């Protein structure tokens, strides 16, 4: 393999992503506008918009979309065996369900401690001379940060590490059951 040193690269070889980024941004904006202009979306935003758990709701919605896409991709992947498809999809579904329940549970359990911590944070910020509107905004930001850290930690580390071995065992049992059922059907058909 012939690789030239970086120092010999031409300074005129700058890559320009502006056109690509503009097209991507436009495509994303068009997609969001289609979703955002639906009655269902507007009703959902009206319902959760004033919630004190807005970050958890949005994180859960994002996880639902991501997990749903992973499940679909796993079930339709032609490179995987039937057993791998089932086990991977089961892992994703269990991870999403357990993560969601734990995120809301832990957030509720931390409610008083979180409120106290944000209150102390607000007092410290107020001592720096900020007006009440800015103090309230920073306290809300601290609350949202706590919710995001809790949710992200649970969704992306705690539950996947704990659920994967369980999902593998459940997937193996489910696959064995399905294989036995299919074998019985095939034997009966002959």
């Amino acid at each position: 393999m012939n690789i030239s040193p970086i120092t010999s690269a031409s300074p005129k070889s700058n890559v320009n992503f502006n056109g690509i980024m503009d097209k991507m941004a436009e495509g994303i904006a068009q997609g969001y506008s289609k979703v955002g202009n639906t009655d269902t979306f507007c009703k959902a935003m009206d319902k959760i918009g004033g919630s004190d758990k807005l970050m958890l709701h949005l994180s859960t919605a994002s996880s639902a979309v991501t997990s749903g896409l992973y499940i679909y991709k796993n079930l339709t992947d032609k490179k995987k065996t039937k057993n791998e498809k089932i086990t991977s999809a089961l892992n994703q579904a269990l991870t999403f369900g357990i993560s969601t329940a734990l995120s809301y549970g832990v957030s509720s359990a931390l409610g008083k401690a979180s409120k106290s911590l944000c209150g102390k944070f607000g007092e410290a910020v107020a001592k720096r001379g900020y007006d009440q509107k800015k103090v309230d905004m920073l306290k809300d930001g601290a609350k949202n940060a706590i919710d995001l850290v809790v949710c992200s930690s649970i969704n992306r580390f705690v539950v996947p590490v704990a659920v994967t071995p369980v999902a593998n065992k459940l997937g193996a049992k489910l696959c064995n059951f399905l294989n036995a059922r299919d074998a019985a059907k095939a034997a009966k058909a002959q």
Side-chain angles (χ1 to χ4, degrees):
M1 181 182 283
N2 187 6
I3 301 174
S4 58
I6 294 175
T7 55
S8 70
S10 167
K12 294 180 182 178
S13 65
N14 292 338
V15 179
N16 184 352
F17 288 108
N18 288 339
I20 294 169
M21 296 306 285
D22 289 344
K23 288 179 184 177
M24 281 179 42
E26 181 64 30
I28 291 168
Q30 286 179 359
Y32 280 145
S33 70
K34 289 178 184 176
V35 172
N37 286 329
T38 63
D39 289 339
T40 305
F41 181 81
C42 292
K43 286 177 185 175
M45 287 299 105
D46 284 342
K47 190 171 188 169
I48 70 167
S51 172
D52 64 334
K53 296 197 182 294
L54 179 62
M55 286 297 125
L56 281 176
H57 297 327
L58 293 176
S59 182
T60 298
S62 172
S63 290
V65 170
T66 305
S67 295
L69 291 172
Y70 279 138
I71 290 168
Y72 175 77
K73 176 65 177 156
N74 281 315
L75 291 174
T76 58
D77 191 347
K78 294 181 185 200
K79 295 178 184 175
K80 291 185 177 182
T81 66
K82 179 178 133 185
N83 292 0
E84 290 172 329
K85 291 178 186 182
I86 291 170
T87 302
S88 296
L90 183 62
N91 188 0
Q92 287 296 324
L94 285 173
T95 299
F96 171 72
I98 293 169
S99 294
T100 300
L102 274 176
S103 293
Y104 281 97
V106 170
S107 178
S108 293
L110 292 176
K112 288 181 183 179
S114 177
K115 198 171 203 173
S116 173
L117 181 65
C118 291
K120 289 177 184 177
F121 174 73
E123 291 170 11
V125 169
K127 288 179 183 176
R128 301 189 101 203
Y130 292 120
D131 64 6
Q132 190 59 43
K133 185 176 179 181
K134 182 138 185 160
V135 169
D136 290 343
M137 181 191 73
L138 291 171
K139 281 172 48 178
D140 286 344
K143 168 70 172 97
N144 290 335
I146 290 169
D147 284 345
L148 283 174
V149 168
V150 165
C151 194
S152 296
S153 299
I154 290 170
N155 286 349
R156 295 291 160 217
F157 179 70
V158 174
V159 172
V161 168
V163 165
T164 298
V166 174
N168 288 341
K169 288 178 184 176
L170 288 174
K173 285 184 180 185
L174 179 60
C175 290
N176 289 339
F177 168 77
L178 293 174
N179 290 339
R181 185 192 68 186
D182 292 345
K185 281 183 182 178
K188 190 177 183 180
Q190 290 179 357

